Amino acid sequence: MVATKPDVSRKYLRWYFSSANQPHEIQTKGIAVKLWQSGLFGSQICQAVVKDMSLGGAGLLAPLAKTVPDIIMVEYDNQFKIKAEVVYRRQVSDKLVFLGISWLDAKREQRLNLLRRLSKKAYRASRDAGVTDNVTADE
């Protein structure tokens, strides 16, 4: 089952798709997404891995070699695109950066739908594998 963790400093309950006991640089679990430049003709920046998510935003790992602007579009499953602002950056290794993002102008229903889809995918993967560690980034 997807782990949830209450945090009194956060407005929304956060869903974790990876183990909180491992440092980010050695984790292999998460949900694959694509990051796009914002705008009508925005190009793809890179692929990233969502580590945690809430109705307010998400935490993800992205390649350090790619420059991720402050405003991006996050795409899941070639279907859902939600505009977001990068509000936190932390280098976790010589190849990865952890980004904290806050959803922008997405309707609450759109965010709920995305969270529902991701949590269902993570739950199915962990149930089908017979483990509680959720989904891997390459699934």
Side-chain angles (χ1 to χ4, degrees):
M1 178 115 237
V2 177
T4 59
K5 185 177 174 185
D7 186 341
V8 294
S9 66
R10 296 192 183 273
K11 185 175 179 180
Y12 299 106
L13 180 68
R14 188 158 290 268
W15 291 74
Y16 289 85
F17 299 107
S18 60
S19 173
N21 299 330
Q22 288 183 318
H24 283 116
E25 59 270 18
I26 62 170
Q27 288 182 6
T28 59
K29 311 287 183 201
I31 305 290
V33 294
K34 294 177 185 173
L35 303 184
W36 294 82
Q37 291 179 340
S38 182
L40 188 58
F41 301 108
S43 60
Q44 184 177 334
I45 302 165
C46 62
Q47 291 192 341
V49 178
V50 175
K51 295 298 185 176
D52 59 75
M53 179 181 272
S54 75
L55 282 175
L60 50 90
L61 288 177
L64 188 59
K66 300 293 184 176
T67 302
V68 178
D70 290 338
I71 305 296
I72 56 173
M73 297 293 288
V74 178
E75 178 185 342
Y76 168 71
D77 205 21
N78 296 322
Q79 186 175 357
F80 291 94
K81 274 191 179 179
I82 299 180
K83 191 174 188 177
E85 177 182 14
V86 177
V87 294
Y88 177 80
R89 296 172 192 263
R90 177 175 50 88
Q91 186 173 338
V92 295
S93 75
D94 59 338
K95 296 182 181 182
L96 296 171
V97 61
F98 183 84
L99 303 174
I101 61 172
S102 177
W103 306 126
L104 295 176
D105 71 10
K107 294 179 180 165
R108 181 179 172 89
E109 186 58 36
Q110 184 183 17
R111 289 181 279 160
L112 273 172
N113 195 14
L114 178 60
L115 188 56
R116 233 179 263 125
R117 287 181 75 95
L118 291 179
S119 63
K120 283 181 182 179
K121 179 177 178 172
Y123 175 71
R124 270 197 317 270
S126 65
R127 182 190 64 210
D128 294 345
V131 296
T132 58
D133 271 346
N134 309 329
V135 67
T136 60
D138 55 1
E139 289 185 318

